[in-house]
Amino acid sequence: MTQSNSPNHTAALKPLFTPFQLGDLTIPNRIVMAPMTRGFSPDGVPGQNVADYYRRRAEGGVGLIITEGTLINHPAASSSPNYPSFFGEAALQGWAQVVKAVHEARGLIFPQLWHQGTVRQIGNLPNVNALPVGPSGLTAEGVKVNEPLTQAEITEIVQAFAQGAADAKRLGFDGIEIHGAHGYLIDQFFWDKTNQRTDQYGGGLVERTRFAAEIIAACRLAVGPEFPICLRISQWKVTDYNYKLAVNPDELARFLAPLVEAGVDMFHCSTRRFWEPEFEGSELNFAGWVKKLTGKPTITVGSIGLDGEFLGSFAGKSSGTESIDKLLVRLGHEEFDLVAVGRAILVDPEWPRKIREGKKDELLPFTSSALSTLS
């Protein structure tokens, strides 16, 4: 075992363990537990095992927890009866116990509000008769599975997100994250391949932000001006890892402006490898560009603390631990504000504490078996 509490070690880690102020919310350090779908909530209800799972991460020293995706109150939001709901008395009571557990461990927690859109397949549980829905009823592969959402249906979904936001505040959560990334419903409106509408929700890149902007504005109305709203966005899609919604900074600026105006406090900028530059001619990553263009705080994410990247873990490959020196330099230069750690914290709840105490030799390597447990 190696342990280092030397002045050099402490100084190097200072950017990661400096508190961050998000409005009225003080996040004690810059480490965020990334949202990771777990599927351990039978009938959509998180139990004591889920509360204990998140409590352990708070006890391990993470600054902010963002939960796995939680499904809004819409029949076609989910594709599994084991994904947690964020509606209904039983599920919300379960989440109240999660909040209680995390707060008792002096942690902070946001739920991630989620709708899968046409990623859900026909016949999926829990609602086998609910057809997948999307802006144009198209999957990422271009298969038509339903008619385009009507205005009334869009309004219903917007209000379901807003109700989720209101319930999050009522239950004592510290903020919310809206899942607008990875090719799920909100991102399907962003993407021209899945959004071929000719009304106010379709057209150019800016016009395709309208659905998300309406959700953000409705959530803001539901929670008031001080409750933090984070939006998770990505260029890449589950079916196209190289896709870019915005191919240059000017396009990205135009895309982000309506979302900021609608009320986003912070952007969670999903990439597969945080160290990769987003555009040619600059070393800034996705989170760096979003912060530069909006002035809003950003979270970076993408294989932090691991020597293997995102896709390998789902192909059964293991990932060892990796130095975070380059991350610390970029954080110290304020390229981004917070860093989301996924698989490293999934397998090792004590990751933040071990990093802080210089116990790198005690870090647990990630293996794909961690995906099938709730430890």
Side-chain angles (χ1 to χ4, degrees), residues 26-38:
T26 302
I27 301 172
N29 61 56
R30 305 304 179 94
I31 303 171
V32 177
M33 178 181 177
M36 291 172 281
T37 303
R38 302 316 325 274

Side-chain angles (χ1 to χ4, degrees), residues 124-160:
N124 277 161
L125 294 169
N127 300 311
V128 294
N129 295 321
L131 291 175
V133 300
S136 299
L138 299 172
T139 68
E141 294 78 22
V143 177
K144 185 172 183 178
V145 292
N146 204 344
E147 295 302 315
L149 283 165
T150 66
Q151 179 64 66
E153 289 169 332
I154 286 174
T155 299
E156 178 186 6
I157 292 171
V158 169
Q159 290 307 309

Side-chain angles (χ1 to χ4, degrees), residues 275-339:
W275 56 87
E276 292 185 342
E278 189 60 30
F279 302 117
E280 289 186 10
S282 169
E283 291 300 310
L284 289 178
N285 72 1
F286 188 34
W289 271 110
V290 171
K291 179 178 180 179
K292 179 178 180 177
L293 294 171
T294 66
K296 293 292 183 180
T298 59
I299 306 172
T300 196
V301 68
S303 303
I304 291 169
L306 300 177
D307 61 9
E309 63 94 32
F310 177 77
L311 287 181
S313 65
F314 295 96
K317 297 178 182 178
S318 63
S319 296
T321 59
E322 178 68 10
S323 169
I324 59 168
D325 293 348
K326 294 179 181 178
L327 173 75
L328 292 171
V329 169
R330 298 174 81 151
L331 185 62
H333 291 160
E334 299 183 348
E335 179 177 340
F336 35 75
D337 301 286
L338 297 151
V339 298

Side-chain angles (χ1 to χ4, degrees), residues 34-37 65-72 84 86 95 110-115 161 173 175-182 184 230 232 268:
M36 291 172 281
T37 303
I65 293 169
I66 301 177
T67 74
E68 62 205 287
T70 70
L71 284 309
I72 63 165
F86 208 77
W95 283 115
F110 291 10
Q112 186 190 70
L113 303 180
W114 187 32
H115 190 303
F161 272 100
F173 281 92
I176 61 167
E177 177 166 286
I178 299 168
H179 197 340
H182 304 164
Y184 294 112
C230 178
R232 194 174 210 203
H268 188 174

